[in-house]
Amino acid sequence: MSLLGTLTPEQFLAEYWQKKPLCIRGALPDFVCPVTPEELGGLALEDEVESRLLQEHGPERPWQLEHGPFTEERFLALPPTHWTLLVQEINKHVPEFALLQDRFNFIPNWRLDDVMVSFAPEHGTVGPHADNYDVFLIQGPGRRRWQISYQTPGEDDLVPGLDLRIMRDFVPEQEWILEPGDMLYLPPGIPHHGVALEDCITISVGFRAPALAELTAAYCADVLDGMDTEQFYADPDLKPQAAPGEISAVARERIRAQIRQLLREDAAIDEWFGRFTTGVRPGHGLPEPDEELDAAEFNERLAECGELWRSEYARFAHYERDGGLRLFVAGEAYPLPAALTGLGVLLTGQRRYLADELLPYLSDPEAIALLLDLHARGCLFFPDDE
């Protein structure tokens, strides 16, 4: 209830979202960080965990960036200050961080990127920089000083030859010192600089918007993939023209009409975006379940566990259409009838489902078929799954 302080979600979205920064004191009162620095370091040793290590005064160059997995010996060789360990997508590995995302349900889930956690000793920082996404910075143990600027950085403002986009002439215009449980919201493009005042952990909940160039390229690739490569421009009604070098009005209109057809109908574009925005990123995959279950086995497992979880490796989204609902999970579309609209909304709206919440749908064969398919794909799992 205190996440936005005295603001309602409507007030926050109207006054601050993608407009200006906001510092909220005590956003998460009595916050207990789900990981210790040692546990974060342990995660960074694992092959399946995406981690980075940044040293402001690296042994080879300033702002030296290394990618994990790391070794214990690498951590033991670090200096006492001026470095930062970052673990990306920690919501995939620590359930408490997965559930933390539900606190931000006043923002559409399809905009959510991931949760990143960083540890830094005194003076640790990733340098002054600007991001192209919205981020909520939650302070865990320790304190961090955040400074922001309202300048608009360009390529000439960056230090050349670095692994990161570090600003060379950052001039702070506003400053906060975040205590445990405080939160700072930053919209895209706001230059910021966070420095650890002591050993501290910072949790970043990021909301990324797809780049328009990426959207266009992905859509065009999908269109081209479905096109008949043996279909060619045709003009059987061609008439003689006085100027042979002219592209006639008839030809131009025919070309325009054929290209417009590629845009498809609105419903087809909606369907494509649902699959695109929930798709599994290249190089990633869904975890395979230990076994495929039938309806009786699924119901038995649900009764035993008392709950079902949504995989952090799968994205869920939906929209209503034709009296029913289009559910999208990990790049696949599931058309649901009106009777299962509530189930679709439930699945996309939270990450943990109690057995009592699913019970009203377990007698519907179509609902059971959906849940079995999502479990078989690795999009849903039981807490005791290995």
Side-chain angles (χ1 to χ4, degrees):
M1 295 296 293
S2 63
L3 187 70
L4 297 175
T6 60
L7 296 175
T8 65
E10 292 79 8
Q11 289 173 319
F12 170 78
L13 294 174
E15 299 176 26
Y16 293 94
W17 177 253
Q18 298 208 326
K19 302 174 186 69
K20 57 184 178 180
L22 174 65
C23 180
I24 303 168
R25 299 294 182 183
L28 293 172
D30 303 320
F31 177 67
V32 177
C33 187
V35 294
T36 64
E38 293 76 16
E39 290 168 336
L40 194 66
L43 284 170
L45 305 181
E46 303 294 332
D47 289 336
E48 67 272 14
V49 176
E50 184 180 345
S51 58
R52 294 172 291 164
L53 180 64
L54 178 66
Q55 288 184 261
E56 184 175 353
H57 309 295
E60 299 176 9
R61 59 191 179 278
W63 301 106
Q64 181 174 325
L65 181 66
E66 303 171 56
H67 293 269
F70 299 100
T71 63
E72 293 184 15
E73 291 74 20
R74 180 68 190 94
F75 290 139
L76 292 173
L78 288 170
T81 63
H82 291 85
W83 56 268
T84 300
L85 172 67
L86 306 105
V87 174
Q88 205 80 30
E89 297 186 327
I90 198 170
N91 48 293
K92 290 182 175 179
H93 311 288
V94 180
E96 291 85 352
F97 286 118
L99 294 179
L100 177 64
Q101 298 170 107
D102 286 345
R103 303 288 290 269
F104 296 86
N105 271 351
F106 53 91
I107 300 168
N109 277 342
W110 69 268
R111 289 289 310 277
L112 182 63
D113 189 19
D114 73 338
V115 179
M116 181 183 72
V117 173
S118 67
F119 168 76
E122 185 180 11
H123 304 305
T125 177
V126 298
H129 67 284
D131 297 313
N132 58 6
Y133 55 87
D134 301 87
V135 64
F136 294 86
L137 301 162
I138 301 167
Q139 188 58 38
R143 297 176 303 145
R144 183 180 288 269
R145 182 183 66 243
W146 287 101
Q147 297 173 319
I148 66 169
S149 169
Y150 292 97
Q151 66 190 98
T152 302
E155 291 297 324
D156 294 340
D157 299 310
L158 303 179
V159 181
L162 298 182
D163 297 326
L164 298 174
R165 295 171 62 83
I166 303 294
M167 295 175 60
R168 72 169 107 208
D169 296 316
F170 176 79
V171 180
E173 300 177 52
Q174 198 168 0
E175 176 179 309
W176 302 270
I177 293 178
L178 263 59
E179 306 275 351
D182 292 344
M183 184 172 72
L184 177 63
Y185 162 71
L186 294 174
I190 295 291
H192 53 282
H193 187 200
V195 179
L197 302 181
E198 58 213 17
D199 286 4
C200 80
I201 287 179
T202 300
I203 299 108
S204 304
V205 182
F207 289 82
R208 190 181 301 273
L212 294 181
E214 177 192 4
L215 272 180
T216 304
Y219 176 74
C220 290
D222 189 73
V223 169
L224 291 173
D225 188 57
M227 287 185 65
D228 180 2
T229 57
E230 296 303 315
Q231 183 178 1
F232 300 92
Y233 173 85
D235 50 5
D237 55 349
L238 185 65
K239 300 292 191 300
Q241 54 187 60
E246 179 189 10
I247 303 174
S248 69
V250 172
R252 298 198 310 273
E253 176 54 36
R254 180 177 283 119
I255 292 292
R256 290 196 296 266
Q258 291 178 341
I259 291 178
R260 288 192 193 102
Q261 287 180 355
L262 301 181
L263 296 178
R264 303 173 175 168
E265 298 294 329
D266 288 352
I269 297 175
D270 292 345
E271 179 94 1
W272 167 82
F273 184 72
R275 290 186 285 105
F276 169 80
T277 198
T278 61
V280 179
R281 289 195 300 162
H284 294 245
L286 295 171
E288 295 184 4
D290 295 333
E291 58 179 343
E292 289 194 22
L293 306 176
D294 60 27
E297 292 168 333
F298 182 90
N299 287 334
E300 183 179 349
R301 290 286 303 279
L302 183 60
E304 291 174 353
C305 296
E307 60 186 23
L308 185 68
W309 282 65
R310 178 172 125 187
S311 171
E312 288 299 300
Y313 291 82
R315 293 181 178 273
F316 286 56
H318 77 267
Y319 60 77
E320 294 184 11
R321 191 175 83 185
D322 300 330
L325 185 138
R326 302 292 287 185
L327 173 67
F328 298 90
V329 182
E332 296 291 334
Y334 296 86
L336 301 183
L340 296 185
T341 294
L343 176 60
V345 172
L346 174 68
L347 292 176
T348 62
Q350 57 198 62
R351 287 166 173 78
R352 176 173 173 254
Y353 320 104
L354 300 179
D356 288 345
E357 294 176 300
L358 295 172
L359 186 61
Y361 305 101
L362 298 183
S363 59
D364 187 309
E366 192 167 355
I368 284 291
L370 170 67
L371 294 172
L372 289 175
D373 184 69
L374 294 179
H375 179 268
R377 290 182 61 202
C379 302
L380 296 175
F381 68 96
F382 292 100
D384 60 355
D385 285 345
E386 295 182 0

